[in-house]
Amino acid sequence: MKANIACVLLALAVSSAAAQQLKATQADPCQAKGKMAADVTYCDRYWECIDGAAEQFDCPNGLVFAGRARGLLENCDYPWRGDSCEGKQLANTPVSVGPCDWKYGIFGHESSCIRYWTCWNSTATEQFCIGGLLYNEEKHACDWPEAVEGCQKHPLCKDDANGNVPLGKSCNRYWACQGGYPRLQRCPATLVFDKRSLRCTNPPTEDCEAPPPPPPEDDPNAPAGPAFVEEEEPAAPAPLV
C-alpha cells in the first residue's frame, strides 16, 4: 500500500515538475515588447497581455501566428508565408466546407490545373491562372507549367511539348510550346514564320512575302510602299477545363 502511495506521489511530482517546466518555457507576453508572444507548442495559438494578465488566443482556422499587426487576419497569416510552424504542431483541426480544406486558405481545384480556390471564412471563390500559367499547390500560386507536375497538356502542343505551332495565317507570330503549354511569340523584325520548318526565317516563304521596308528617314517625300497592316492580337488558346 505504501509502495502504491509512493508511486502516486512520485507521478504527481513528475507531472508537477513537467508542468512548471512547460510554464517556464512559455514566454510571458506581459514581458514582451509588443505584449504578445507565440505559443511554445502550437503555431496557430498565441498569448496576449490583457490588463496585466496573459490570455490565450487561437488563430482563425487555417492560419498561424505571424505577430502583432502582421499577417492576413487577427495577427495570423497563411502557414507557407513564414516559418512559425517549424518544430511545432497545430492546436486546431481543419474545418472543411466544400472545396475549402480549412476556413481560410488557398486550395487547388479538384479537376483543373489552371483554376484554384481562395477561401475566406469557408466562402470559396474560384480563381484562374492567366498567361499560360498553372496552379502550383506547393507554392500556393500560379507558376510556369514546367514547374507543375501531374497536369494535362494543352491540345495545341499535343504533337510536340516544346515545339512551335503556326498561328493561323499570321506571318510573324506563332505559338511556342514550353512544357506542353503555348506562349505567343513574334518573329524578329524582317523575319517571317515558316510553317514548314516551324521557325523564323528570311522571307519569302511559301506562304509569306517580305514586309515592305519603311521609306528612308532622310527623304520624307519618298513614295511609301504598299500598306502593311498590323495583324490583330489573336485570341488566347482555349483554356483547359
Side-chain angles (χ1 to χ4, degrees):
M1 182 67 176
K2 290 183 178 180
N4 291 338
I5 294 176
C7 289
V8 171
L9 292 176
L10 178 60
L12 290 174
V14 171
S15 176
S16 176
Q20 290 179 359
Q21 182 180 7
L22 178 61
K23 185 176 181 180
T25 57
Q26 174 61 57
D28 184 357
C30 295
Q31 301 298 322
K33 183 177 180 180
K35 302 300 180 182
M36 188 175 288
D39 189 86
V40 70
T41 304
Y42 302 104
C43 57
D44 55 348
R45 178 172 291 171
Y46 62 96
W47 298 80
E48 186 173 2
C49 185
I50 306 294
D51 296 330
E55 292 191 20
Q56 174 186 296
F57 294 89
D58 281 356
C59 289
N61 192 258
L63 305 181
V64 298
F65 180 64
R68 179 177 290 279
R70 295 181 180 179
L72 188 70
L73 180 68
E74 298 178 15
N75 309 306
C76 302
D77 205 353
Y78 294 130
W80 58 86
R81 286 184 175 174
D83 56 0
S84 59
C85 278
E86 289 186 4
K88 296 184 179 182
Q89 53 186 313
L90 295 173
N92 300 290
T93 56
V95 177
S96 301
V97 178
C100 301
D101 295 338
W102 300 75
K103 282 190 173 183
Y104 294 86
I106 303 176
F107 308 101
H109 198 276
E110 58 275 12
S111 62
S112 174
C113 290
I114 64 169
R115 292 183 283 176
Y116 60 98
W117 299 99
T118 56
C119 293
W120 186 269
N121 197 22
S122 297
T123 298
T125 302
E126 191 176 41
Q127 308 285 358
F128 290 83
C129 293
I130 61 175
L133 302 182
L134 303 178
Y135 179 71
N136 189 326
E137 294 202 36
E138 294 183 358
K139 296 181 179 179
H140 302 275
C142 296
D143 201 357
W144 296 114
E146 54 267 27
V148 182
E149 297 182 359
C151 277
Q152 68 270 29
K153 306 305 180 185
H154 198 282
L156 272 175
C157 303
K158 60 182 177 61
D159 295 329
D160 188 348
N162 295 289
N164 296 329
V165 180
L167 174 61
K169 297 181 179 180
S170 176
C171 285
N172 63 351
R173 283 183 285 187
Y174 60 97
W175 297 109
C177 293
Q178 299 181 20
Y181 296 89
R183 298 176 188 171
L184 186 62
Q185 303 290 335
R186 182 189 295 271
C187 290
T190 74
L191 300 185
V192 296
F193 186 75
D194 182 11
K195 295 178 176 59
R196 288 183 174 272
S197 63
L198 299 179
R199 62 185 180 87
C200 295
T201 186
N202 289 312
T205 64
E206 182 177 335
D207 301 295
C208 297
E209 299 292 335
E217 294 184 2
D218 57 353
D219 187 3
N221 297 320
F228 182 69
V229 180
E230 178 69 16
E231 298 171 346
E232 294 183 358
E233 189 71 18
L240 298 170
V241 295

